[in-house]
Amino acid sequence: MNSDISFPAHRENRFYQGMAATFVANALQAVNFLGDRFLRQSPHSLSAIEDLYRHSMDSAFSVTEAFLVTGAPHASAYYPRDFAWFYPDVLDPETIMDAQDAVRRVRLLEKSVRLLLEAVSADVVTTTIVPAGRGRYLGVNYFSRPSDTLLGVLAGLQQMLSAEERKSPHLAMSQCAHAGRLLLAEYGGDLKRAIVKLASELEPFEADGTRYLLCDASRPRSAATDTRAERRRFVTNACVYTTFVWGVELGIVEASELKRLLGRDLAQYKRDLFRLFGKDGYIRHSLESPAGTPASQVALDFVSVHRGFWDLNDVGERALFAATTDMIVAEPRFRIPSTFHFFVSADNPRNKMIHKIAAPAYQGRSSWPTFNVEFADRMLDFDEFAGRETYRACAQAILKDIRTATEVHGGYQELISEQGLKYRTWAYKGAVAHSWFPRFLSVWRRAYGTPLLQWND
């Protein structure tokens, strides 16, 4: 494939939302998820990690794809948040197999980010975008309004803009950065309006005589762990803060304008969140979490997003991170026995009714390799800034067990059951998360100091 990329000209898609759009989207998704559960067969019988990775990259970045997705059963819909949470490293040169792979990744990333920006321009900032044929897309919220969709849009744009800063032999990287600059110029005004709207939606929340601002004070807001029905969650509000910071860093919105809207600067806004959710010396997942042991009040998604909320150069943040991490590592109920596969939480959470029926442990007592990868990466951040190797061995063990699971199950899993098997219920079968695989390789390189796989291109 020629490494000289010509990006497609702007093509306006049509976006719909509302009751009718939601009804149609729900019907399409129900058919897709149930059909996948009962009809999908294992597409291959590979077990060697290199063969599995090549297969995953060929699938994730196929030239036939319209946008970047996780894999079946999610492949018929588009999840903007995933750029922040699950594939922030698709342009990491050490994960790219050859020039052809680089071109395919850059092309699909550009198509994906452009589609997201078109949706923002149409004021469709939803958790999910469902294709409805002929350039028509339905914006729908599963299962509440998003806290991290704009974060994902900015993460995708950031990844494009920073492409040429990576030490890569592939010309496609500089072309990707140029395309990112054009997109930022074209859609910067739309992004600013969306970020300002998000800031205006924050709600006051009174606690201990202090007035805080939360995105979910009165009702849940969706994040990557969107089936959890709690309000006043740490992760949703950490995502909103990070959205504001990235918006300022990209020159989309002025810090002074956000300060005027929030009544405080971003540094104070972050300190408030730590004061509220970290008042017990660890990060409490939700202010609605049930009373009980501290381990019942924390969740693995506290690690938030790649280069996002946490600044582990700060002594106070390191202390909160270490206390929460130590609770998770020390609690046997937080992991699959005899492994370093950590669950999202020690107990299954309060769920929407549909999840209680169809997938009760989906984001509770199940292990998500990608959240474990981020857990390992934050551990390495801690060690780097603390100047001592407190968590490296644990981070390495997490990654080693993910590699083993990938080889045993024949692909990089969306999630693993409480028994260490592929996650499936009567209604749902977890995806083989092809597009999440590069992030694993990036963190493996950091943890072990040497690449898991090497290419000769």
Side-chain angles (χ1 to χ4, degrees):
M1 182 181 293
N2 195 313
S3 62
D4 189 22
I5 303 176
S6 58
F7 293 105
H10 175 73
R11 179 173 65 87
E12 184 174 354
N13 296 292
R14 294 184 180 182
F15 296 86
Y16 305 88
Q17 57 184 337
M19 291 183 62
T22 298
F23 177 81
V24 175
N26 286 343
L28 291 172
Q29 287 292 83
V31 170
N32 174 61
F33 274 75
L34 289 174
D36 176 82
R37 169 62 183 88
F38 295 106
L39 299 178
R40 176 170 35 123
Q41 303 296 321
S42 178
H44 56 84
S45 57
L46 305 174
S47 60
I49 194 74
E50 181 173 348
D51 293 337
L52 288 166
Y53 186 75
R54 286 188 179 277
H55 173 82
S56 289
M57 296 308 95
D58 289 343
S59 177
F61 301 102
S62 168
V63 295
T64 63
E65 295 291 347
F67 42 74
L68 185 58
V69 295
T70 297
H74 303 287
S76 68
Y78 192 20
Y79 301 84
R81 67 164 61 98
D82 288 4
F83 285 93
W85 280 96
F86 301 140
Y87 32 79
D89 271 342
V90 298
L91 297 185
D92 179 355
E94 290 195 356
T95 74
I96 295 174
M97 300 181 295
D98 51 37
Q100 179 178 339
D101 187 24
V103 169
R104 290 186 315 188
R105 295 193 195 197
V106 166
R107 281 179 170 164
L108 190 56
L109 180 60
E110 194 275 345
K111 286 171 64 177
S112 300
V113 173
R114 178 178 288 278
L115 182 61
L116 291 180
L117 290 169
E118 287 183 28
V120 172
S121 181
D123 197 29
V124 176
V125 181
T126 54
T127 69
T128 313
I129 298 173
V130 179
R134 296 183 181 180
R136 291 177 171 84
Y137 294 90
L138 310 174
V140 60
N141 288 320
Y142 297 126
F143 291 88
S144 52
R145 295 176 59 213
S147 65
D148 55 356
T149 286
L150 281 176
L151 184 69
V153 176
L154 296 182
L157 191 55
Q158 276 184 332
Q159 195 164 176
M160 293 184 67
L161 293 167
S162 63
E164 63 186 357
E165 299 171 8
R166 297 176 179 270
K167 295 180 180 179
S168 171
H170 304 300
L171 177 62
M173 294 300 180
S174 61
Q175 295 172 326
C176 184
H178 177 66
R181 289 190 289 269
L182 293 177
L183 288 174
L184 179 58
E186 183 176 357
Y187 292 100
D190 297 312
L191 287 168
K192 179 178 179 179
R193 285 191 290 274
I195 292 171
V196 168
K197 182 180 179 181
L198 178 63
S200 69
E201 292 172 348
L202 299 186
E203 305 169 302
F205 177 73
E206 302 286 339
D208 302 323
T210 301
R211 184 177 183 271
Y212 299 95
L213 287 176
L214 300 179
C215 72
D216 56 353
S218 60
R219 59 183 59 86
R221 291 286 287 258
S222 174
T225 42
D226 59 355
T227 70
R228 302 179 70 102
E230 305 105 331
R231 297 177 299 166
R232 303 162 193 168
R233 295 172 63 199
F234 173 76
V235 66
T236 52
N237 290 282
C239 285
V240 170
Y241 164 83
T242 308
T243 302
F244 296 153
V245 170
W246 288 358
V248 171
E249 289 178 352
L250 288 171
I252 294 168
V253 63
E254 295 291 333
S256 58
E257 184 170 4
L258 289 173
K259 181 178 181 180
R260 178 178 58 81
L261 288 167
L262 302 175
R264 65 207 72 186
D265 62 25
L266 291 179
Q268 182 61 51
Y269 178 45
K270 185 179 187 181
R271 286 194 294 270
D272 289 347
L273 294 179
F274 275 128
R275 179 181 178 184
L276 182 61
F277 290 96
K279 64 181 180 180
D280 296 319
Y282 57 87
I283 296 298
R284 187 172 174 180
H285 165 68
S286 166
L287 302 186
E288 288 195 322
S289 57
T293 64
S296 298
Q297 298 179 346
V298 300
L300 196 63
D301 62 5
F302 89 97
V303 297
S304 194
V305 293
H306 177 51
R307 287 197 291 269
F309 184 81
W310 287 93
D311 174 13
L312 294 180
N313 191 41
D314 181 275
V315 174
E317 292 192 33
R318 281 207 307 273
L320 281 171
F321 176 85
T324 313
T325 295
D326 291 346
M327 287 168 54
I328 292 172
V329 172
E331 174 55 62
R333 293 185 300 123
F334 241 108
R335 71 172 90 177
I336 297 172
S338 303
T339 75
F340 280 81
H341 292 303
F342 291 95
F343 298 137
V344 178
S345 57
D347 303 300
N348 287 330
R350 177 188 305 169
N351 281 338
K352 301 284 187 179
M353 183 58 66
I354 187 173
H355 301 109
K356 290 179 181 178
I357 297 171
Y362 183 67
Q363 287 174 342
R365 289 188 59 79
S366 59
S367 176
W368 288 60
T370 189
F371 288 145
N372 277 265
V373 165
E374 295 308 317
F375 193 27
D377 197 47
R378 294 303 90 72
M379 289 179 173
L380 298 172
D381 285 340
F382 180 96
D383 285 3
E384 177 182 334
F385 290 112
R388 59 182 185 273
E389 293 201 348
T390 302
Y391 296 115
R392 180 174 295 274
C394 186
Q396 290 175 335
I398 289 171
L399 299 170
K400 182 179 179 182
D401 279 354
I402 293 173
R403 173 184 177 171
T404 299
T406 301
E407 293 175 323
V408 168
H409 298 309
Y412 193 89
Q413 299 300 302
E414 177 193 14
L415 69 168
I416 301 170
S417 76
E418 188 174 356
Q419 293 76 33
L421 305 173
K422 290 183 179 182
Y423 182 87
R424 79 177 69 192
T425 69
W426 69 269
Y428 182 84
K429 180 162 58 175
V432 180
H434 297 307
S435 56
W436 301 359
F437 213 156
R439 177 64 178 150
F440 167 72
L441 261 62
S442 297
V443 180
W444 179 286
R445 170 67 172 83
R446 186 181 184 196
Y448 283 94
T450 185
L452 176 59
L453 302 173
Q454 299 191 42
W455 320 108
N456 297 318
D457 182 57

